[in-house]
Amino acid sequence: MAAGSCLLLLLPWLVMASHSPPACKIRITSKGLDLVKQEGLRFVEQELQNMTMSDLHGKEGQFQYNISQVKVMDLQLAFSDLYFQPQQHLVFNINNASISLRFRRQLLYWFFYDIGSINASADGVYIHTVLQLAKDEAGRLKISNMTCNASIAKMHAGFSGTLRKVYEFLSTFIITGMRFLLSQQICPSLEHASLVLLNSVLDTVPVRNYVDEHIGIDYSLLRDPAVSTDTLDLDFKGMFFYRARENQELENHAVEPVIKETERMVYVAFSEYFFDSAMHAYFQAGVLAIELEGEKVPKDLEVLLRATFFGTIFMLSPTVDAPLRLVLQVSAPPRCIIKPSGTSVSVSAFLNISLVPPGRPAVQLSSMAMETKLSAKVFLQGKALRVQLDLRRFRIYSKQSALESLALFSLQAPLKTLLQLTIMPIINERTKKGVQIPLPEGMDFTKEVVTNHAGFLTVGADLHFSKGLREVIEKYRPAPTAHTYPSSWPAEPSMDPLQL
């Protein structure tokens, strides 16, 4: 009874743990699927053109025949459709397609031997495939299963040569066999294309990778994709981590992004947690600090600082000519605030001002606290999410006394200028590279529009294939496995019936 009560108490926590909120969401709409269909159809055509089929041979009375070297010459896939099917599926249909074939014929009738080629066409080809999408163990989107049905309504073959009448007599057997072979080969070809080749493209989606020498990002899927009739939604963890503590988790208390729009091809949403975890990781790495010393300190600021602390400096030995050192360091992880009116970052830091006499210990003149608010412009370029920061508000005060805070008032403007002209360019240079959004290689965003909401922002965009599926597949194609199909027929024509 006690164990049952404990289980009931833990149940809400377990449910919450299994449904942790995503920091990054991606929605692909039906419009985006239309673009994918165009590229996918080209890929399917190429795969079907490369189909390999085993030889067809048989015997009817005194007639022996063999069909070999079957090659697809042309495909007409005019009527195709790719659409979402709830809950986790994509459906790809091809209707009323036609496939033109050419193959080698061999015929033995008593001691008469004939060899040549046959042109055939399969009409009314119907292919119905259902792809099941799921999250794999690594948290990557994969095609986990595929069902396929293929049929051919009609098949024709054109015969020529000295034994044309014999072939026409046997055409029923040959065409029936070819129709069976072709229909049986379509689905295995598409299954390999989906479960092997297309999954190799999905392998190019970043799941857990390094952003720079300090931090990385975890883009693992939290759950299987959610598919409706119009959309496919993906929930990503979206957490940055300090590379020296890769397994450390930062709890997500931010608002979960909500995507309601369907007008664009794709939408990407980011919560405040996405940006907070990045700044937390950088803070852990200890890189949110800048030191300026000697000639690196702007001259106007140095003159003002020496004048401000003249009384203190005058009493010091060595002389006041010792170089100045400014150490600006963030004192707590910055916080991101996303509102409909815009995105901002709140930063608390301290600034230590010291004299650095040559060959002697540094002498601290002042330690002041700083509170700043930065405006953040978030934008996508290609497939990189970038942030441009600008100083909006700035305040300094002394941690030692109210009197010193009053004396520091004259430093507000020059220190703000120092931040704008010296520090902000350094920070923006670091954020210039950005971080890659979890899309496969060869697919980029265009015409991006950023919209702010309460606690998260969304980026609506169209999709563009900078590389074709075939190009990416060839780059990451798994090692080929040789398939051989035994044939009882000789490679060269023979009049010896014992070899047939």
Side-chain angles (χ1 to χ4, degrees):
M1 184 70 180
S5 300
C6 291
L7 181 61
L8 290 174
L9 291 173
L10 288 173
L11 189 59
W13 181 86
L14 291 173
V15 171
M16 290 179 63
S18 65
H19 195 81
S20 55
C24 173
K25 278 191 172 186
I26 290 183
R27 163 171 287 185
I28 299 176
T29 68
S30 296
K31 291 182 179 180
L33 201 61
D34 288 339
L35 179 68
V36 174
K37 184 186 78 171
Q38 297 172 19
E39 185 63 28
L41 192 59
R42 284 192 289 268
F43 171 65
V44 169
E45 288 178 348
Q46 293 166 347
E47 287 301 303
L48 293 180
Q49 284 177 337
N50 294 326
M51 283 191 301
T52 56
M53 287 177 277
S54 58
D55 296 350
L56 172 68
H57 53 86
K59 182 178 181 181
E60 296 296 330
Q62 298 301 323
F63 295 102
Q64 297 182 57
Y65 61 90
N66 185 70
I67 301 300
S68 61
Q69 300 178 13
V70 181
K71 184 178 181 180
V72 177
M73 304 302 295
D74 186 45
L75 290 101
Q76 297 295 328
L77 308 180
F79 304 100
S80 64
D81 195 14
L82 178 66
Y83 58 90
F84 296 117
Q85 176 178 292
Q87 301 289 325
Q88 296 169 232
H89 301 94
L90 286 177
V91 179
F92 183 55
N93 284 335
I94 295 176
N95 294 294
N96 201 28
S98 63
I99 303 176
S100 298
L101 305 169
R102 180 187 291 269
F103 45 88
R104 184 172 180 259
R105 72 174 189 261
Q106 290 172 293
L107 177 68
L108 178 67
Y109 177 60
W110 291 100
F111 294 102
F112 295 97
Y113 183 78
D114 184 53
I115 185 172
S117 61
I118 298 177
N119 293 322
S121 64
D123 297 322
V125 179
Y126 170 75
I127 305 173
H128 176 76
T129 57
V130 180
L131 307 178
Q132 183 174 358
L133 304 175
K135 174 182 76 73
D136 69 4
E137 293 181 358
R140 179 178 277 111
L141 179 66
K142 282 297 183 71
I143 301 172
S144 60
N145 192 26
M146 173 187 172
T147 58
C148 176
N149 294 302
S151 62
I152 300 173
K154 296 181 295 182
M155 192 156 189
H156 306 280
F159 302 101
S160 61
T162 56
L163 298 179
R164 180 172 58 86
K165 294 295 183 182
V166 176
Y167 275 107
E168 290 177 352
F169 172 73
L170 293 172
S171 63
T172 301
F173 303 102
I174 296 175
I175 291 175
T176 301
M178 283 302 304
R179 180 178 174 184
F180 174 78
L181 282 180
L182 181 59
S183 61
Q184 290 298 306
Q185 188 59 37
I186 289 174
C187 284
S189 296
L190 295 182
E191 182 176 352
H192 178 264
S194 300
L195 299 181
V196 178
L197 301 183
L198 288 182
N199 274 337
S200 71
V201 176
L202 293 176
D203 282 338
T204 66
V205 176
V207 173
R208 189 177 180 90
N209 64 322
Y210 294 144
V211 176
D212 54 30
E213 65 271 25
H214 304 294
I215 70 170
I217 187 168
D218 188 338
Y219 269 134
S220 57
L221 281 172
L222 295 175
R223 53 195 65 91
D224 288 335
V227 180
S228 70
T229 55
D230 299 314
T231 60
L232 183 150
D233 289 339
L234 301 167
D235 290 351
F236 296 93
K237 189 173 185 178
M239 185 196 79
F240 291 84
F241 56 86
Y242 174 35
R243 288 178 55 170
R245 302 175 187 171
E246 291 195 16
N247 296 322
Q248 186 179 50
E249 294 283 334
L250 180 64
E251 196 168 351
N252 186 355
H253 297 292
V255 174
E256 179 174 343
V258 178
I259 304 176
K260 298 180 180 180
E261 300 86 354
T262 59
E263 291 77 17
R264 306 295 296 275
M265 291 185 181
V266 63
Y267 291 89
V268 189
F270 305 95
S271 74
E272 293 174 342
Y273 174 85
F274 180 86
F275 302 99
D276 283 348
S277 66
M279 293 182 288
H280 186 271
Y282 275 124
F283 180 78
Q284 284 187 314
V287 298
L288 300 183
I290 296 176
E291 181 176 309
L292 302 176
E293 184 176 325
E295 295 181 356
K296 293 183 179 180
V297 179
K299 196 65 180 177
D300 293 344
L301 180 62
E302 180 182 3
V303 172
L304 183 61
L305 287 173
R306 289 183 181 277
T308 303
F309 297 102
F310 182 81
T312 307
I313 296 173
F314 186 79
M315 299 298 295
L316 293 174
S317 179
T319 66
V320 296
D321 293 332
L324 282 177
R325 176 192 292 165
L326 307 182
V327 178
L328 177 63
Q329 185 168 349
V330 173
S331 56
R335 296 297 305 272
C336 175
I337 301 107
I338 303 176
K339 296 180 179 180
S341 57
T343 302
S344 61
V345 178
S346 295
V347 184
S348 297
F350 60 83
L351 176 64
N352 288 336
I353 304 175
S354 305
L355 281 176
V356 191
R360 298 177 64 89
V363 180
Q364 181 170 302
L365 300 179
S366 179
S367 179
M368 60 188 75
M370 301 174 56
E371 292 181 358
T372 61
K373 181 164 284 191
L374 311 175
S375 61
K377 179 184 177 183
V378 181
F379 60 98
L380 276 176
Q381 188 169 9
K383 203 161 37 184
L385 180 72
R386 299 178 178 179
V387 180
Q388 180 79 23
L389 297 171
D390 189 30
L391 183 61
R392 190 199 306 178
R393 288 191 300 185
F394 173 79
R395 184 174 76 92
I396 58 172
Y397 58 93
S398 173
K399 296 190 295 183
Q400 299 172 1
S401 68
L403 183 61
E404 187 174 13
S405 295
L406 183 62
L408 293 174
F409 183 78
S410 60
L411 293 177
Q412 290 268 133
L415 284 177
K416 185 175 182 180
T417 302
L418 169 70
L419 288 175
Q420 289 175 326
L421 300 181
T422 307
I423 308 302
M424 295 308 301
I426 297 175
I427 296 174
N428 283 322
E429 184 63 28
R430 291 180 178 178
T431 62
K432 185 178 180 180
K433 181 181 177 182
V435 61
Q436 184 179 349
I437 303 303
L439 280 184
E441 184 175 337
M443 185 178 290
D444 294 324
F445 297 103
T446 61
K447 303 176 183 177
E448 308 89 346
V449 175
V450 178
T451 305
N452 279 48
H453 305 272
F456 66 95
L457 59 85
T458 60
V459 183
D462 289 338
L463 291 172
H464 166 70
F465 279 95
S466 58
K467 296 179 182 178
L469 278 176
R470 177 63 54 188
E471 183 181 352
V472 178
I473 286 170
E474 291 301 325
K475 181 178 178 180
Y476 297 98
R477 179 183 286 273
T481 302
H483 295 282
T484 58
Y485 298 98
S487 172
S488 60
W489 288 79
E492 298 297 331
S494 173
M495 295 302 294
D496 185 358
L498 295 178
Q499 295 184 10
L500 294 171

